[in-house]
Amino acid sequence: MPSAAGTPTGKLPFVVWVLAAGTFLMGTTEFVIAGLLPEIAGDLGVGLSHAGLLITAFAVGMIVGGPATALATLRLPRRLTLVLALSLFALGHVVAALSTSFTVVLAARVVTALATGAFWAVGFVIATAAAGPARATRAVGVMMGGLTLANVVGVPIGSFVGRYTGWRGPFWALAVLAALAAVFVARARFIPATEQRAELSVRAEVRALRQGRLWLALAAAVLIMGGVLATYTYITPLLTDRAGIPSGAVPPVLIVFGLGALGGTAIGGRLGDRRPMATTITAAAVTALALFLLIPLSTGPATAVVLVFLMALAGFTVNPVVTSLAVRFAGDAPTLTSALSTSAYNTGIAAGSALAGQALNTSLGLTGPALVGAVSAALTLLPLIALVLGGTRRQARIAARRTAPARIRDHGTASVSSGH
């Protein structure tokens, strides 16, 4: 039987898979820096922790730019918004690849982040609307699967290619692929060209932010991503200098991380519609445990790789669930909330990577980022538990309202039967 979205039950619309391909490109550019950090630092003449600011700057650009570009493009056709985002994304990579200045590369990363924020904000709304309520979390999971697939394929390939072509090679490849994607989206017909959003208003979008549950979901997104990415940002020196893994073997370990992230996203997408809170609370607790264990057990190559896989598997299980919850809590005004979800993840990335960089320069050394990540992941449990408690109280109030009329009717019937 066809769904409301116009596709058979259980199948996701084609547009969801196209959006997943877009997030693959954008996930690759965000995280490939982690595998190229030593090369970038050496070529641009900056320190390792200073080069890590390229990840922080991208995250900051998405924090500010995501909501801003979502509101600025609110009344544009969605297809045009996606094309403009992909075009700006390609341009930012061209500027970075041509520059020899760290400052210019840093600025280009911010511009690229603005484009990424716009793409994700509109993409999440399109994916959930096309899939329908019953498959919304799964659609978000598939779209975010492009992000995690970037860690399985895009980041390791970018890291491998960068060792032979220099770090600029992957940037040129991303620019070309984004330009081709823009042409494809512009010519394709999976998003109706007549679809406009003129009926939406900034006031309605902002009004949706009054939901307390929304901010709890966003807080969980900040903390879980901050926990995982605090460690991942500096994963290369941890693997080579502490675990004793040769630098040439780092790309395969990044594939292991990506496989864990892909598996976690799939698990979250599958279980999130049925048991959202049990799924997220369990996954956040496992993430914190894996990161804590990484501190004493990262001296062995085998245990380090296993824990890197586990932190990705558990950490990325949370992402599609809290994103879907946030969009659901926003009701009929999901665009700004979708952008804020992206901003929330990148707030976590920016704060986590910045704190991890500071911890790296303390006596904690290479274990500092893992400690920062473990604490952040453990704190994720607080907003998640608050959502559970709030939902329990809300259900109790609804039940009380439903039973109150019945009690009144029963009382009235008793009064009539007794002659009153």
Side-chain angles (χ1 to χ4, degrees), residues 208-229:
L209 304 183
R210 297 176 182 176
Q211 290 274 357
R213 296 178 299 167
L214 167 63
W215 292 103
L216 288 173
L218 293 177
V222 171
L223 291 167
I224 194 65
M225 189 56 70
V228 174
L229 267 296

Side-chain angles (χ1 to χ4, degrees), residues 33 37-38 40-41 46-56 102 106 234:
I33 297 295
L37 210 58
I40 294 174
V46 297
L48 198 61
S49 61
H50 198 62
L53 291 175
L54 293 174
I55 295 177
T56 305
F102 180 80
L106 196 68
Y234 297 99

Side-chain angles (χ1 to χ4, degrees), residues 73-139:
T73 60
L74 189 63
R75 296 177 182 271
L76 293 178
R78 286 172 175 155
R79 187 209 305 265
L80 178 58
T81 301
L82 295 179
V83 171
L84 290 175
L86 287 166
S87 301
L88 187 60
F89 181 90
L91 179 62
H93 282 81
V94 170
V95 172
L98 290 174
S99 178
T100 58
S101 166
F102 180 80
T103 302
V104 173
V105 175
L106 196 68
R109 291 281 290 174
V110 174
V111 171
T112 305
L114 296 178
T116 302
F119 184 93
W120 282 7
V122 175
F124 281 134
V125 175
I126 294 173
T128 54
R135 295 171 297 166
T137 302
R138 185 182 167 199

Side-chain angles (χ1 to χ4, degrees), residues 21-342:
T23 58
F24 170 80
L25 292 179
M26 298 183 179
T28 299
T29 198
E30 182 165 13
F31 301 126
V32 75
I33 297 295
L36 299 173
L37 210 58
E39 288 81 2
I40 294 174
D43 184 51
L44 298 179
V46 297
L48 198 61
S49 61
H50 198 62
L53 291 175
L54 293 174
I55 295 177
T56 305
F58 190 96
V60 170
M62 289 191 67
I63 292 167
V64 178
T69 53
L71 291 177
T73 60
L74 189 63
R75 296 177 182 271
L76 293 178
R78 286 172 175 155
R79 187 209 305 265
L80 178 58
T81 301
L82 295 179
V83 171
L84 290 175
L86 287 166
S87 301
L88 187 60
F89 181 90
L91 179 62
H93 282 81
V94 170
V95 172
L98 290 174
S99 178
T100 58
S101 166
F102 180 80
T103 302
V104 173
V105 175
L106 196 68
R109 291 281 290 174
V110 174
V111 171
T112 305
L114 296 178
T116 302
F119 184 93
W120 282 7
V122 175
F124 281 134
V125 175
I126 294 173
T128 54
R135 295 171 297 166
T137 302
R138 185 182 167 199
V140 171
V142 169
M143 185 176 167
M144 296 185 74
L147 177 65
T148 52
L149 187 63
N151 288 294
V152 179
V153 179
V155 172
I157 289 178
S159 178
F160 179 79
V161 171
R163 295 181 186 279
Y164 295 94
T165 66
W167 64 270
R168 302 173 196 277
F171 274 63
W172 280 114
L174 286 165
V176 171
L177 290 173
L180 292 174
V183 173
F184 176 76
V185 171
R187 296 176 62 86
R189 292 294 177 264
F190 48 79
I191 302 174
T194 57
E195 184 178 356
Q196 302 286 335
R197 291 180 283 168
E199 73 278 4
L200 301 181
S201 69
V202 173
R203 182 178 300 176
E205 294 285 339
V206 173
R207 190 164 52 241
L209 304 183
R210 297 176 182 176
Q211 290 274 357
R213 296 178 299 167
L214 167 63
W215 292 103
L216 288 173
L218 293 177
V222 171
L223 291 167
I224 194 65
M225 189 56 70
V228 174
L229 267 296
T231 306
Y232 185 73
T233 298
Y234 297 99
I235 196 68
T236 298
L238 177 74
L239 294 174
T240 56
D241 297 346
R242 182 170 171 81
I245 295 175
S247 59
V250 169
V253 179
L254 297 181
I255 294 176
V256 170
F257 176 90
L259 288 172
L262 188 62
T265 302
I267 292 171
R270 287 289 181 178
L271 300 181
D273 287 318
R274 289 174 291 171
R275 298 181 180 86
M277 302 320 303
T279 300
T280 50
I281 288 174
T282 302
V286 173
T287 305
L289 178 62
L291 288 166
F292 272 121
L293 291 177
L294 194 61
I295 298 170
L297 300 180
S298 57
T299 53
T303 53
V305 172
V306 169
L307 290 170
V308 165
F309 172 81
L310 187 58
M311 80 169 183
L313 180 72
F316 277 79
T317 297
V318 179
N319 295 350
V321 186
V322 294
T323 300
S324 181
L325 286 174
V327 173
R328 186 188 310 169
F329 294 154
D332 296 329
T335 305
L336 180 57
T337 298
S338 179
L340 286 173
S341 298
T342 303

